Amino acid sequence: MKKLILGIAVLSTSLAFAQTTQPTPSSTSPVRFGIKAGMNVSSLSNDETLEDQGSKIGFNAGVFANIPVAESFSIQPEVLYSQYGDKYDYVVAGNRYSYANHLDYITVPVMFQYNFIPNLYVEAGPEFGFMVSAKNKAKNETNNDVLAESGNYKDNFNTFNVGIGLGAGYYFTDNIGLTARYVAGVTDIAKDRPNGSDAIRNNTFQVGLAFKF
């Protein structure tokens, strides 16, 4: 299944970039490249072991190509560094503590976009992720002291991740735009899960800025 999904991702991205070698129809705009960056508000899906899980703030940043395929439709493949995970807080003897899971990925979203008007679009498509780091940190938030921090234990997880993204964006100028996207995880991040236990999936809301060259 991983090989099939990865193959679809590579094929979709290859087809999208192949458009750059074809003559641009007069009814569509030329291919444009850009950079983007923003904030992630991520969490892990609820199951019986994650009753107290909460959201964690992270960031995403990377590059994209916007490839028109019709007058109002385009394909936008991206390559991003994106921070996922979760965080929860608890209070003991008047001190507030936190425990956070930091799961970092290289993600490859392939978004299919529809422009209602030239400046405003909606989008949907798959996101394929490759975990590069998994760490956790315990902290006394009251004193701002780090109590414990792990090394990289990504081998304990499924390092290939698939999500479905839904979003929208608005360009204030021809170059600068505001983007928003929610990515719901499809695959289980846990490795060797016992039969009958609930899957744990990445989920994140992203908001940021994009700049087209």
Side-chain angles (χ1 to χ4, degrees), residues 136-161:
N136 54 47
K137 180 187 293 186
K139 187 176 180 181
N140 184 331
E141 298 286 352
T142 303
N143 300 323
N144 200 33
D145 290 334
V146 175
L147 304 177
E149 186 172 7
S150 75
N152 189 355
Y153 62 105
K154 73 181 183 71
D155 291 340
N156 294 343
F157 293 94
N158 287 324
T159 54
F160 182 67
N161 186 68

PDB file of all heavy atoms in Angstrom, residues 136-161:
ATOM      1  N   ASN A 136      10.319  14.215  22.329  1.00  0.00           N
ATOM      2  CA  ASN A 136       9.356  14.745  23.285  1.00  0.00           C
ATOM      3  C   ASN A 136      10.094  15.545  24.354  1.00  0.00           C
ATOM      4  O   ASN A 136      11.295  15.390  24.564  1.00  0.00           O
ATOM      5  CB  ASN A 136       8.489  13.639  23.910  1.00  0.00           C
ATOM      6  CG  ASN A 136       9.306  12.536  24.541  1.00  0.00           C
ATOM      7  OD1 ASN A 136      10.246  12.795  25.276  1.00  0.00           O
ATOM      8  ND2 ASN A 136       8.947  11.282  24.266  1.00  0.00           N
ATOM      9  N   LYS A 137       9.336  16.431  24.997  1.00  0.00           N
ATOM     10  CA  LYS A 137       9.930  17.328  25.980  1.00  0.00           C
ATOM     11  C   LYS A 137       8.953  17.545  27.125  1.00  0.00           C
ATOM     12  O   LYS A 137       7.765  17.810  26.911  1.00  0.00           O
ATOM     13  CB  LYS A 137      10.270  18.683  25.346  1.00  0.00           C
ATOM     14  CG  LYS A 137      10.892  19.696  26.304  1.00  0.00           C
ATOM     15  CD  LYS A 137      11.051  21.065  25.661  1.00  0.00           C
ATOM     16  CE  LYS A 137      12.067  21.049  24.548  1.00  0.00           C
ATOM     17  NZ  LYS A 137      12.327  22.422  24.014  1.00  0.00           N
ATOM     18  N   ALA A 138       9.462  17.420  28.360  1.00  0.00           N
ATOM     19  CA  ALA A 138       8.690  17.743  29.560  1.00  0.00           C
ATOM     20  C   ALA A 138       9.246  19.036  30.139  1.00  0.00           C
ATOM     21  O   ALA A 138      10.462  19.215  30.236  1.00  0.00           O
ATOM     22  CB  ALA A 138       8.786  16.622  30.585  1.00  0.00           C
ATOM     23  N   LYS A 139       8.339  19.937  30.545  1.00  0.00           N
ATOM     24  CA  LYS A 139       8.781  21.266  30.944  1.00  0.00           C
ATOM     25  C   LYS A 139       7.949  21.791  32.095  1.00  0.00           C
ATOM     26  O   LYS A 139       6.739  21.556  32.171  1.00  0.00           O
ATOM     27  CB  LYS A 139       8.654  22.215  29.739  1.00  0.00           C
ATOM     28  CG  LYS A 139       9.223  23.595  29.937  1.00  0.00           C
ATOM     29  CD  LYS A 139       9.123  24.393  28.640  1.00  0.00           C
ATOM     30  CE  LYS A 139       9.676  25.791  28.789  1.00  0.00           C
ATOM     31  NZ  LYS A 139       9.561  26.578  27.526  1.00  0.00           N
ATOM     32  N   ASN A 140       8.609  22.477  33.033  1.00  0.00           N
ATOM     33  CA  ASN A 140       7.911  23.236  34.062  1.00  0.00           C
ATOM     34  C   ASN A 140       7.630  24.616  33.497  1.00  0.00           C
ATOM     35  O   ASN A 140       8.523  25.451  33.388  1.00  0.00           O
ATOM     36  CB  ASN A 140       8.772  23.328  35.328  1.00  0.00           C
ATOM     37  CG  ASN A 140       8.061  24.023  36.474  1.00  0.00           C
ATOM     38  OD1 ASN A 140       7.201  24.881  36.265  1.00  0.00           O
ATOM     39  ND2 ASN A 140       8.422  23.660  37.709  1.00  0.00           N
ATOM     40  N   GLU A 141       6.397  24.845  33.108  1.00  0.00           N
ATOM     41  CA  GLU A 141       6.042  26.114  32.467  1.00  0.00           C
ATOM     42  C   GLU A 141       6.090  27.282  33.453  1.00  0.00           C
ATOM     43  O   GLU A 141       6.340  28.427  33.056  1.00  0.00           O
ATOM     44  CB  GLU A 141       4.645  26.012  31.854  1.00  0.00           C
ATOM     45  CG  GLU A 141       4.507  24.973  30.755  1.00  0.00           C
ATOM     46  CD  GLU A 141       5.169  25.402  29.468  1.00  0.00           C
ATOM     47  OE1 GLU A 141       5.611  26.561  29.375  1.00  0.00           O
ATOM     48  OE2 GLU A 141       5.254  24.571  28.536  1.00  0.00           O
ATOM     49  N   THR A 142       5.868  27.003  34.727  1.00  0.00           N
ATOM     50  CA  THR A 142       5.888  28.065  35.729  1.00  0.00           C
ATOM     51  C   THR A 142       7.273  28.688  35.840  1.00  0.00           C
ATOM     52  O   THR A 142       7.425  29.919  35.910  1.00  0.00           O
ATOM     53  CB  THR A 142       5.431  27.527  37.082  1.00  0.00           C
ATOM     54  OG1 THR A 142       4.121  26.963  36.950  1.00  0.00           O
ATOM     55  CG2 THR A 142       5.396  28.641  38.127  1.00  0.00           C
ATOM     56  N   ASN A 143       8.301  27.832  35.865  1.00  0.00           N
ATOM     57  CA  ASN A 143       9.681  28.311  35.991  1.00  0.00           C
ATOM     58  C   ASN A 143      10.431  28.347  34.660  1.00  0.00           C
ATOM     59  O   ASN A 143      11.613  28.706  34.630  1.00  0.00           O
ATOM     60  CB  ASN A 143      10.455  27.414  36.969  1.00  0.00           C
ATOM     61  CG  ASN A 143       9.839  27.410  38.350  1.00  0.00           C
ATOM     62  OD1 ASN A 143       9.352  28.433  38.811  1.00  0.00           O
ATOM     63  ND2 ASN A 143       9.848  26.256  39.003  1.00  0.00           N
ATOM     64  N   ASN A 144       9.761  27.907  33.589  1.00  0.00           N
ATOM     65  CA  ASN A 144      10.385  27.842  32.263  1.00  0.00           C
ATOM     66  C   ASN A 144      11.606  26.926  32.259  1.00  0.00           C
ATOM     67  O   ASN A 144      12.607  27.198  31.591  1.00  0.00           O
ATOM     68  CB  ASN A 144      10.762  29.243  31.771  1.00  0.00           C
ATOM     69  CG  ASN A 144      10.951  29.297  30.262  1.00  0.00           C
ATOM     70  OD1 ASN A 144      10.266  28.581  29.527  1.00  0.00           O
ATOM     71  ND2 ASN A 144      11.874  30.119  29.803  1.00  0.00           N
ATOM     72  N   ASP A 145      11.524  25.821  33.019  1.00  0.00           N
ATOM     73  CA  ASP A 145      12.624  24.861  33.115  1.00  0.00           C
ATOM     74  C   ASP A 145      12.294  23.608  32.313  1.00  0.00           C
ATOM     75  O   ASP A 145      11.186  23.058  32.424  1.00  0.00           O
ATOM     76  CB  ASP A 145      12.871  24.452  34.573  1.00  0.00           C
ATOM     77  CG  ASP A 145      13.455  25.580  35.407  1.00  0.00           C
ATOM     78  OD1 ASP A 145      14.107  26.466  34.826  1.00  0.00           O
ATOM     79  OD2 ASP A 145      13.239  25.572  36.636  1.00  0.00           O
ATOM     80  N   VAL A 146      13.246  23.150  31.494  1.00  0.00           N
ATOM     81  CA  VAL A 146      13.097  21.882  30.781  1.00  0.00           C
ATOM     82  C   VAL A 146      13.474  20.752  31.730  1.00  0.00           C
ATOM     83  O   VAL A 146      14.602  20.693  32.228  1.00  0.00           O
ATOM     84  CB  VAL A 146      13.981  21.848  29.518  1.00  0.00           C
ATOM     85  CG1 VAL A 146      13.911  20.476  28.861  1.00  0.00           C
ATOM     86  CG2 VAL A 146      13.556  22.941  28.544  1.00  0.00           C
ATOM     87  N   LEU A 147      12.534  19.854  31.986  1.00  0.00           N
ATOM     88  CA  LEU A 147      12.761  18.763  32.938  1.00  0.00           C
ATOM     89  C   LEU A 147      13.360  17.539  32.265  1.00  0.00           C
ATOM     90  O   LEU A 147      14.165  16.824  32.860  1.00  0.00           O
ATOM     91  CB  LEU A 147      11.443  18.387  33.616  1.00  0.00           C
ATOM     92  CG  LEU A 147      10.711  19.536  34.328  1.00  0.00           C
ATOM     93  CD1 LEU A 147       9.392  19.045  34.904  1.00  0.00           C
ATOM     94  CD2 LEU A 147      11.592  20.130  35.419  1.00  0.00           C
ATOM     95  N   ALA A 148      12.952  17.270  31.052  1.00  0.00           N
ATOM     96  CA  ALA A 148      13.472  16.112  30.319  1.00  0.00           C
ATOM     97  C   ALA A 148      13.238  16.320  28.839  1.00  0.00           C
ATOM     98  O   ALA A 148      12.260  16.950  28.437  1.00  0.00           O
ATOM     99  CB  ALA A 148      12.793  14.834  30.786  1.00  0.00           C
ATOM    100  N   GLU A 149      14.162  15.804  28.020  1.00  0.00           N
ATOM    101  CA  GLU A 149      14.020  15.895  26.571  1.00  0.00           C
ATOM    102  C   GLU A 149      14.646  14.665  25.947  1.00  0.00           C
ATOM    103  O   GLU A 149      15.779  14.293  26.281  1.00  0.00           O
ATOM    104  CB  GLU A 149      14.686  17.155  26.047  1.00  0.00           C
ATOM    105  CG  GLU A 149      14.464  17.417  24.572  1.00  0.00           C
ATOM    106  CD  GLU A 149      14.978  18.781  24.142  1.00  0.00           C
ATOM    107  OE1 GLU A 149      15.623  19.458  24.974  1.00  0.00           O
ATOM    108  OE2 GLU A 149      14.739  19.170  22.987  1.00  0.00           O
ATOM    109  N   SER A 150      13.915  14.019  25.052  1.00  0.00           N
ATOM    110  CA  SER A 150      14.396  12.777  24.456  1.00  0.00           C
ATOM    111  C   SER A 150      15.272  13.053  23.246  1.00  0.00           C
ATOM    112  O   SER A 150      15.314  14.163  22.712  1.00  0.00           O
ATOM    113  CB  SER A 150      13.205  11.919  24.025  1.00  0.00           C
ATOM    114  OG  SER A 150      12.626  12.434  22.848  1.00  0.00           O
ATOM    115  N   GLY A 151      15.952  11.992  22.802  1.00  0.00           N
ATOM    116  CA  GLY A 151      16.609  12.032  21.510  1.00  0.00           C
ATOM    117  C   GLY A 151      15.611  11.700  20.414  1.00  0.00           C
ATOM    118  O   GLY A 151      14.404  11.582  20.652  1.00  0.00           O
ATOM    119  N   ASN A 152      16.113  11.543  19.200  1.00  0.00           N
ATOM    120  CA  ASN A 152      15.250  11.241  18.058  1.00  0.00           C
ATOM    121  C   ASN A 152      14.846   9.764  18.100  1.00  0.00           C
ATOM    122  O   ASN A 152      15.690   8.877  18.003  1.00  0.00           O
ATOM    123  CB  ASN A 152      15.996  11.561  16.757  1.00  0.00           C
ATOM    124  CG  ASN A 152      15.092  11.479  15.537  1.00  0.00           C
ATOM    125  OD1 ASN A 152      13.931  11.096  15.634  1.00  0.00           O
ATOM    126  ND2 ASN A 152      15.629  11.817  14.387  1.00  0.00           N
ATOM    127  N   TYR A 153      13.541   9.504  18.234  1.00  0.00           N
ATOM    128  CA  TYR A 153      13.054   8.125  18.295  1.00  0.00           C
ATOM    129  C   TYR A 153      12.058   7.850  17.177  1.00  0.00           C
ATOM    130  O   TYR A 153      11.079   7.118  17.338  1.00  0.00           O
ATOM    131  CB  TYR A 153      12.446   7.818  19.663  1.00  0.00           C
ATOM    132  CG  TYR A 153      11.236   8.637  20.055  1.00  0.00           C
ATOM    133  CD1 TYR A 153       9.957   8.075  20.031  1.00  0.00           C
ATOM    134  CD2 TYR A 153      11.353   9.962  20.465  1.00  0.00           C
ATOM    135  CE1 TYR A 153       8.836   8.808  20.393  1.00  0.00           C
ATOM    136  CE2 TYR A 153      10.251  10.708  20.833  1.00  0.00           C
ATOM    137  CZ  TYR A 153       8.995  10.124  20.793  1.00  0.00           C
ATOM    138  OH  TYR A 153       7.885  10.864  21.154  1.00  0.00           O
ATOM    139  N   LYS A 154      12.299   8.401  15.985  1.00  0.00           N
ATOM    140  CA  LYS A 154      11.363   8.256  14.876  1.00  0.00           C
ATOM    141  C   LYS A 154      11.203   6.806  14.420  1.00  0.00           C
ATOM    142  O   LYS A 154      10.178   6.456  13.811  1.00  0.00           O
ATOM    143  CB  LYS A 154      11.780   9.136  13.705  1.00  0.00           C
ATOM    144  CG  LYS A 154      12.992   8.678  12.922  1.00  0.00           C
ATOM    145  CD  LYS A 154      13.305   9.660  11.804  1.00  0.00           C
ATOM    146  CE  LYS A 154      14.474   9.193  10.944  1.00  0.00           C
ATOM    147  NZ  LYS A 154      14.111   8.029  10.117  1.00  0.00           N
ATOM    148  N   ASP A 155      12.183   5.947  14.717  1.00  0.00           N
ATOM    149  CA  ASP A 155      12.071   4.551  14.316  1.00  0.00           C
ATOM    150  C   ASP A 155      10.948   3.829  15.049  1.00  0.00           C
ATOM    151  O   ASP A 155      10.564   2.719  14.667  1.00  0.00           O
ATOM    152  CB  ASP A 155      13.389   3.815  14.557  1.00  0.00           C
ATOM    153  CG  ASP A 155      14.487   4.284  13.606  1.00  0.00           C
ATOM    154  OD1 ASP A 155      14.148   4.866  12.561  1.00  0.00           O
ATOM    155  OD2 ASP A 155      15.674   4.081  13.922  1.00  0.00           O
ATOM    156  N   ASN A 156      10.393   4.449  16.100  1.00  0.00           N
ATOM    157  CA  ASN A 156       9.259   3.860  16.807  1.00  0.00           C
ATOM    158  C   ASN A 156       7.926   4.132  16.102  1.00  0.00           C
ATOM    159  O   ASN A 156       6.888   3.633  16.525  1.00  0.00           O
ATOM    160  CB  ASN A 156       9.170   4.409  18.233  1.00  0.00           C
ATOM    161  CG  ASN A 156      10.343   3.985  19.094  1.00  0.00           C
ATOM    162  OD1 ASN A 156      11.057   3.046  18.754  1.00  0.00           O
ATOM    163  ND2 ASN A 156      10.553   4.665  20.202  1.00  0.00           N
ATOM    164  N   PHE A 157       7.967   4.937  15.034  1.00  0.00           N
ATOM    165  CA  PHE A 157       6.746   5.322  14.331  1.00  0.00           C
ATOM    166  C   PHE A 157       6.764   4.812  12.894  1.00  0.00           C
ATOM    167  O   PHE A 157       7.820   4.475  12.352  1.00  0.00           O
ATOM    168  CB  PHE A 157       6.613   6.855  14.290  1.00  0.00           C
ATOM    169  CG  PHE A 157       6.379   7.494  15.623  1.00  0.00           C
ATOM    170  CD1 PHE A 157       7.448   7.977  16.372  1.00  0.00           C
ATOM    171  CD2 PHE A 157       5.103   7.633  16.139  1.00  0.00           C
ATOM    172  CE1 PHE A 157       7.248   8.576  17.598  1.00  0.00           C
ATOM    173  CE2 PHE A 157       4.889   8.234  17.363  1.00  0.00           C
ATOM    174  CZ  PHE A 157       5.958   8.703  18.097  1.00  0.00           C
ATOM    175  N   ASN A 158       5.573   4.792  12.290  1.00  0.00           N
ATOM    176  CA  ASN A 158       5.495   4.685  10.839  1.00  0.00           C
ATOM    177  C   ASN A 158       5.970   6.013  10.269  1.00  0.00           C
ATOM    178  O   ASN A 158       5.364   7.056  10.530  1.00  0.00           O
ATOM    179  CB  ASN A 158       4.054   4.411  10.390  1.00  0.00           C
ATOM    180  CG  ASN A 158       3.618   3.001  10.683  1.00  0.00           C
ATOM    181  OD1 ASN A 158       4.410   2.061  10.593  1.00  0.00           O
ATOM    182  ND2 ASN A 158       2.358   2.822  11.042  1.00  0.00           N
ATOM    183  N   THR A 159       7.022   5.994   9.518  1.00  0.00           N
ATOM    184  CA  THR A 159       7.622   7.252   9.073  1.00  0.00           C
ATOM    185  C   THR A 159       6.968   7.805   7.815  1.00  0.00           C
ATOM    186  O   THR A 159       7.275   8.925   7.406  1.00  0.00           O
ATOM    187  CB  THR A 159       9.128   7.084   8.837  1.00  0.00           C
ATOM    188  OG1 THR A 159       9.354   6.001   7.933  1.00  0.00           O
ATOM    189  CG2 THR A 159       9.842   6.800  10.157  1.00  0.00           C
ATOM    190  N   PHE A 160       6.067   7.032   7.172  1.00  0.00           N
ATOM    191  CA  PHE A 160       5.346   7.526   5.999  1.00  0.00           C
ATOM    192  C   PHE A 160       3.921   7.875   6.422  1.00  0.00           C
ATOM    193  O   PHE A 160       3.236   7.080   7.054  1.00  0.00           O
ATOM    194  CB  PHE A 160       5.317   6.471   4.893  1.00  0.00           C
ATOM    195  CG  PHE A 160       4.621   6.927   3.638  1.00  0.00           C
ATOM    196  CD1 PHE A 160       5.159   7.932   2.859  1.00  0.00           C
ATOM    197  CD2 PHE A 160       3.429   6.335   3.239  1.00  0.00           C
ATOM    198  CE1 PHE A 160       4.528   8.353   1.693  1.00  0.00           C
ATOM    199  CE2 PHE A 160       2.790   6.755   2.088  1.00  0.00           C
ATOM    200  CZ  PHE A 160       3.340   7.760   1.304  1.00  0.00           C
ATOM    201  N   ASN A 161       3.490   9.083   6.082  1.00  0.00           N
ATOM    202  CA  ASN A 161       2.190   9.585   6.537  1.00  0.00           C
ATOM    203  C   ASN A 161       1.390  10.117   5.352  1.00  0.00           C
ATOM    204  O   ASN A 161       1.943  10.722   4.432  1.00  0.00           O
ATOM    205  CB  ASN A 161       2.401  10.712   7.557  1.00  0.00           C
ATOM    206  CG  ASN A 161       1.109  11.191   8.171  1.00  0.00           C
ATOM    207  OD1 ASN A 161       0.462  10.475   8.921  1.00  0.00           O
ATOM    208  ND2 ASN A 161       0.716  12.416   7.858  1.00  0.00           N
TER     209      ASN A 161
END
